[in-house]
Amino acid sequence: MSVNAKLQSRVDGIINELTVSQEILNKGVDFFIKSAEKGLDNKDNDPYGLPMIPTYVTSIPTGKERGVLLAADLGGTNFRVCSVSLNGDHTFIIKQEKNPIPVDLMSANSADELFEYLAKKIGQFVNTHHGDQASESKSDDNKLKLGFTFSFPVDQTSLDSGTLIRWTKGFNIEDCVGKDIVQLLQSHLDLLKIPVSVAALANDTVGTLLSRAYSAGAVAGDKQGDTLVGAIFGTGTNGAYPELIDNIKKLPKNYVDELKSKGKTHMVINTEWGSFDNHLEVLPTTKYDVEIDKISANPGYHMFEKRVSGMFLGEILRHILVDLYREGLILQQYRSYENLPHRLRTPWELSSEILSYIEIDDSTALKASELALLNALRLPTTHEERIIIQQLTIAIAKRAAYLGAIPFAGLLLKTKALEGHNKEVDIGVDGSLVEFYPGFRAMLRDALSMTKVGNQGERRVHINIAKDGSGVGAALCTLSD
Ligand code: ADP
Ligand code: MG
């Protein structure tokens, strides 16, 4: 089966625009390092700096930690509570419960209504699973420690304090904005006499870093080097790593001195690398990227994320297909745009999960892709159309993975983590894209070897899945003192 020359030539042109060259990678890595450095000394929001948010986590688990810790995660739709029993040998036992958040609480009249509900759910969890500990441990020191993952914009001011900047994801409780959310939760736990102390505000990338650092070594030979980065490639993308305190210029000087007097050398930084290169100095940009940015919830922001993470890959393919239709190159049985299958015209309808099936389809006449596209978009396709859809899918995912290597290379080079005789580095990753997309990690590695990290360096980098950063990772945050 060969594709008609005009269509193939147009598709080759698009694939060419999606190709990430060694030059783009090198420029990207240099610019990432610069943006990271700017973000670390940035006091007045330099627009070219990465957010580089200090997390106040100053110790990385070794895997020998023991004890029972709690974690709670307020995401968009659920409130998850879990307990983690650390066995001290890189393994743990986790128990968890998921509570749907009642819709009326999302726009409650006062913050107290929401936080009373959260405290009650924590109380119920503790009674059910840790009733014995709860009754013994009345004094402050013996309270169960809880790491609170609060996935909304927060201005964190210490390990266990931070004020809500604004609500997102459909929440809207006005009197909560500007308040310390740790204090809010703690005061309701205290009112209900629940013996839990909220000891850390956590975030999923930091959690990923800590959970991988704790777990590395659970299986013999599984720990190769210290864990340098925790990274997410799921709906969005982000990463965290420990930075030398002296390099974090935006921390107040007296606070830095205090940390050093306690023997602290590093603090974990939440890079918020989804915002890398919002001004598009180095990132490749197609007209499809421009269109998607316009219809996104945050035009002009998260430009890196919009080329790399799971939320966007299917949408890129959808835009290209509609464009090829408009140019008269595919799907010409539909007489007008309005006649195209509804789902093909609907933004965000094509999930990157479908792309993961198309990527590795080797069935006769790409029949598996035919079914996947029928199921997902109610879109019938010809063999010829599926051939170019597969070519485009491969190019979109490859661009995502190649660009995904930029922050890894940037952090490896910036921290000099591979310098020294036979140094090895461990990286923990989480998120459906990196976990399930066929070849995603291999493509990341290909690109890593094309950067200044080189072949030799790339072989010394070990990328491992770290599950459940907002569970065990958030719990581990409470151990940083
Ligand atoms: P979250 O980001 O909410 O923590 P996930 O890590 O599961 O959740 O990531 C969800 C994203 O991953 C979605 O964009 C989804 O389309 C994508 N995804 C889910 N399964 C796959 C898959 N098999 N291959 C590629 N992407 C996937
Ligand atoms: Mg996640």
Side-chain angles (χ1 to χ4, degrees), residues 355-371 386 390:
L355 275 60
S356 76
Y357 307 144
I358 299 173
E359 172 92 26
I360 48 160
D361 184 5
D362 59 359
S363 62
T364 309
L366 298 170
K367 285 283 177 195
S369 299
E370 181 175 28
L371 275 180
R386 292 193 295 278
Q390 189 176 47

Side-chain angles (χ1 to χ4, degrees), residues 112-138:
D112 289 328
E113 290 176 40
L114 175 66
F115 281 86
E116 186 189 347
Y117 171 82
L118 303 184
K120 272 189 184 151
K121 290 295 165 193
I122 294 170
Q124 285 169 6
F125 180 90
V126 169
N127 272 335
T128 310
H129 298 283
H130 300 279
D132 43 338
Q133 271 120 321
S135 52
E136 284 164 22
S137 49
K138 287 279 152 66

